Amino acid sequence: MTRHIGLKFNVTLATSYQGDDPSWTNKPNPPRIVKHYEIALFLKDGGHTIINDKKYTITAGSIRFLRPNDKVISGFFPQAQIVFFEADNVKLSQEAFALIPRFLRCVNIEKDSALLNDLMQAFAAQDSFECSSCLWKFLRQMKENSNGLQNTKSISTILQIRNYIDDNYNMHLTLDNLASEFHMNPDYLQRKFKQKFNQSPAEYQLEVRLSQAVAMLITSDLSVEAIAELCGFSNSSHFIRTFKKKKNVTPSQFKQNYFSTISFT
């Protein structure tokens, strides 16, 4: 999904509900007004949920994505992974999540569940950057599911290549590397990628690296040198030069400007 620079997430809870309390079925649940963003990935069939007066049946692979001020009623529901988070910028978060429905089906339940497991482990370790990174990946997957970019049987090779770059953005990826990995002609791969995403694989990888660098700058105390290495730049000088060319400020200036202007109240 599109990365909105300046949109900062704060995961407030990441947990797994086992769904093993049968007494829930006998408890009347009044409507609840949602205070934070909530994601629930249901791992088994059973139960239902009512979101803003619309009823949904829960099956394995269902995802419920609630926004602040939503009204929700839940009876018994089965085993689920649940994440609560906040976003500091209301306008940007509304834009980022506008096309994600409040109830959808995941494409690959094992992959999505593993990603939320990683998020839970990062939350337990109090690793805010890893939490944010896992959350972005999961939200992107939800966005792609809702846009119909994937289906249960197949995924376009070009989309696989983009996702491969997302997962390996800090590696040295050349056009020939990608062509060999996906058994494609390099020129054909380059042309089809540009047709779909309006940029070359190398340009897209650089965009991802810079987006990750921005996230690290605003969510961690890592040095510029450490961020350069983690994001795959050859050295800190290359990172600073590239960052300034794209953002018109150095990484340090960007961080200083960000925290001098943004309000988290």
Side-chain angles (χ1 to χ4, degrees), residues 222-231 233 235-237 239-240 252:
L222 293 171
S223 67
V224 169
E225 290 76 13
I227 292 174
E229 181 178 356
L230 289 170
C231 290
F233 291 95
N235 53 59
S236 59
S237 296
F239 170 49
I240 294 170
S252 297

Side-chain angles (χ1 to χ4, degrees), residues 55-167:
K55 185 175 181 179
Y56 301 90
T57 299
I58 296 171
T59 58
S62 298
I63 301 175
R64 186 178 68 185
F65 182 35
L66 303 177
R67 280 80 154 168
N69 299 316
D70 279 347
K71 182 176 69 174
V72 60
I73 303 175
S74 295
F76 170 81
F77 60 82
Q79 184 177 355
Q81 294 167 303
I82 304 174
V83 176
F84 297 79
F85 68 97
E86 299 172 339
D88 68 294
N89 190 307
V90 174
K91 184 176 184 296
L92 287 182
S93 60
Q94 289 175 342
E95 292 174 358
F97 308 143
L99 297 180
I100 303 178
R102 284 168 169 77
F103 199 84
L104 66 157
R105 313 289 177 184
C106 72
V107 171
N108 187 325
I109 190 170
E110 290 81 12
K111 179 180 178 181
D112 287 355
S113 179
L115 188 54
L116 287 187
N117 274 331
D118 289 343
L119 193 156
M120 291 176 192
Q121 291 177 15
F123 179 77
Q126 298 183 336
D127 187 339
S128 60
F129 171 72
E130 187 61 20
C131 280
S132 183
S133 178
C134 290
L135 184 55
W136 268 123
K137 290 179 182 178
F138 193 84
L139 288 165
R140 182 198 68 198
Q141 187 71 21
M142 291 169 61
K143 178 89 174 283
E144 291 176 348
N145 290 351
S146 64
N147 285 345
L149 294 177
Q150 302 184 65
N151 56 55
T152 56
K153 295 182 180 179
S154 64
I155 176 174
S156 74
T157 302
I158 297 302
L159 187 57
Q160 287 185 53
I161 293 170
R162 190 189 71 171
N163 290 346
Y164 182 84
I165 295 172
D166 283 341
D167 293 336

